[in-house]
Amino acid sequence: MMVWVIQMNTKNIPTLGIFYNGQAASDKTPNFGLEGHHFQQLARLAPNYGLKVIVFMPHRVDLENRLIQGYILNRCQEWVFETFPFPNVLYVRGVSSDTTESQERFRLVEHFEKLGIANLNNNAFAELVGNKLLFHMALQKSEVASFLPYTEPWQSSRLPYFLQQFETVFLKPIDGFESRGLIRIQQDLGSYQWILSDSNGILETQSGSLTMLLSTLDRATKNHEYIMQEGIQRTPTNSRFVEHRCLMQRVKNTWYRTTHVLRVNSAQNLPFISAGREKNYLYQTPPFSLEIEEVERFEQNVQHLTDYLSRFFNQSPYYASEFSVDFILDSQQNIRLLECNARPSGFFLQTGDWLGRMSYLSHTLQHAACLVRNIPEPCQ
């Protein structure tokens, strides 16, 4: 039987509760994976904004007594396992491939929201950008519709049409992440080649007839909903294919583009699955020429795209606080929007952009402090 022992905080410092997906290795030695350094930095800086940070997991929530068990950083910079009241502000981090676990966390976030606990990125926003079909449908009639690749719900009967229209076709799980479950299809002189990325990000290349291809796709998509999407043709830059990622953050009612990162891969249309298959650089200081023909036009279009998305995500019911925008340049130098992410991370690990990282942390804590003061959304 679990015993809940609460340690009262006499200073009554408001809490930013980082709600992490997964279970720690043990109560004494938490394992937050790649998020560990990020959480530690937030916890160290939080007192400067009148906050304390607690990291907790779904299986450590006591709804009846309104308590959580989680980790707080002590003066020795060590995580200590303690019991606390519900946090003042929620910050959902981490992605899980475990559907049951994700659904449980979604349900708990919904419960917190009903109690009036503020959330840096609420369920409505996470659900929108986490579902590739909903995201596409929400923007396909907007002023940034021209940035979107052509997309439809997956139907095997529509594949021949897509292969006639586009040199490359992608199938993507509607709730996929890190390109897991992604399938790339190409046709060459009546033969087909396809690359599958399994649930662990392992790539497998196959080729054969249309019948073989459809049989493979039927098995691969049997238990999951997919979209079918145009594969955007790109021109290599210095023999590299480049993806752009911008981090957008809100403090009160002001949006900031905290950083603009380049993600570089060596093969056209190959999914960016893990850090092992990419290199990250700052847009401002690339190690090679980006060969953008009209830099001013490009930067104006980036500004237009990010400004519109910030306004769109700032409205009811989303009230987003931060998101990332992934886009590429096609062979005609047009921006094409790939996706947005409600839980951005990993921007600064390879780039060494510590100034950008400090801005990232500062914006998060500034806006959390704004929400603690019970200022109605959007903050004024």
Side-chain angles (χ1 to χ4, degrees), residues 170 216 224:
F170 278 107
T216 300
H224 218 94

Side-chain angles (χ1 to χ4, degrees), residues 47 59 75 85 91 113 115-116 131 136 209 212 214 248 251 259 280 307 331 335 339 361 365 368:
H59 69 294
R75 292 180 180 179
Y91 189 27
E113 290 176 354
L115 293 175
N131 185 307
H136 182 86
S209 66
M212 293 173 61
L214 289 173
M248 305 300 299
V251 178
T259 192
N280 296 332
D307 281 354
S331 57
I335 287 178
E339 64 179 359
L361 298 165
L365 293 167

Side-chain angles (χ1 to χ4, degrees), residues 9 12-17 42-54 72 88-89 120 361-373:
N9 187 342
N12 198 30
I13 300 175
T15 300
L16 171 62
L42 283 170
R44 286 174 176 172
L45 292 173
N48 297 330
Y49 300 86
L51 301 170
K52 67 174 180 284
V53 165
I54 296 166
I72 188 168
N88 301 90
V89 179
L120 286 175
L361 298 165
S362 175
H363 292 157
T364 300
L365 293 167
Q366 283 182 67
H367 193 61
C370 165
L371 296 177
V372 162
R373 297 196 299 271

Side-chain angles (χ1 to χ4, degrees), residues 205-362:
T205 301
Q206 300 179 16
S207 60
S209 66
L210 180 60
T211 300
M212 293 173 61
L213 169 60
L214 289 173
S215 177
T216 300
L217 297 181
D218 181 60
R219 292 192 301 271
T221 62
K222 187 175 182 180
N223 298 316
H224 218 94
E225 190 174 355
Y226 272 71
I227 59 169
M228 186 161 46
Q229 194 169 79
E230 161 195 4
I232 300 164
Q233 296 305 304
R234 295 174 283 171
T235 302
T237 301
N238 194 30
S239 301
R240 302 166 185 259
F241 290 95
V242 177
E243 179 180 327
H244 296 254
R245 171 174 283 181
C246 294
L247 170 62
M248 305 300 299
Q249 291 185 285
R250 178 160 68 97
V251 178
K252 298 185 178 180
N253 248 1
T254 302
W255 281 94
Y256 298 90
R257 193 193 311 167
T258 302
T259 192
H260 182 163
V261 169
L262 307 173
R263 307 174 69 195
V264 179
N265 207 341
S266 59
Q268 188 170 14
N269 293 324
L270 191 66
F272 293 104
I273 295 173
S274 68
R277 292 195 179 98
E278 69 177 78
K279 293 289 185 181
N280 296 332
Y281 306 99
L282 283 177
Y283 167 71
Q284 295 88 342
T285 56
F288 50 85
S289 172
L290 294 177
E291 300 176 12
I292 298 174
E293 295 174 3
E294 300 179 52
V295 175
E296 185 176 353
R297 171 177 171 264
F298 167 76
E299 293 185 349
Q300 287 175 347
N301 285 336
V302 173
Q303 189 71 46
H304 177 211
L305 176 62
T306 55
D307 281 354
Y308 178 82
L309 291 173
S310 298
R311 294 195 308 272
F312 183 79
F313 295 147
N314 199 33
Q315 64 184 342
S316 176
Y318 311 122
Y319 299 133
S321 298
E322 64 181 33
F323 63 93
S324 62
V325 187
D326 289 3
F327 60 90
I328 61 175
L329 280 179
D330 65 17
S331 57
Q332 303 301 313
Q333 297 266 311
N334 297 311
I335 287 178
R336 308 300 297 277
L337 175 62
L338 298 179
E339 64 179 359
C340 291
N341 193 318
R343 294 162 195 157
S345 62
F347 287 84
F348 313 97
L349 297 180
Q350 290 188 17
T351 64
D353 179 20
W354 300 114
L355 179 61
R357 182 160 189 82
M358 290 303 295
S359 296
Y360 182 16
L361 298 165
S362 175

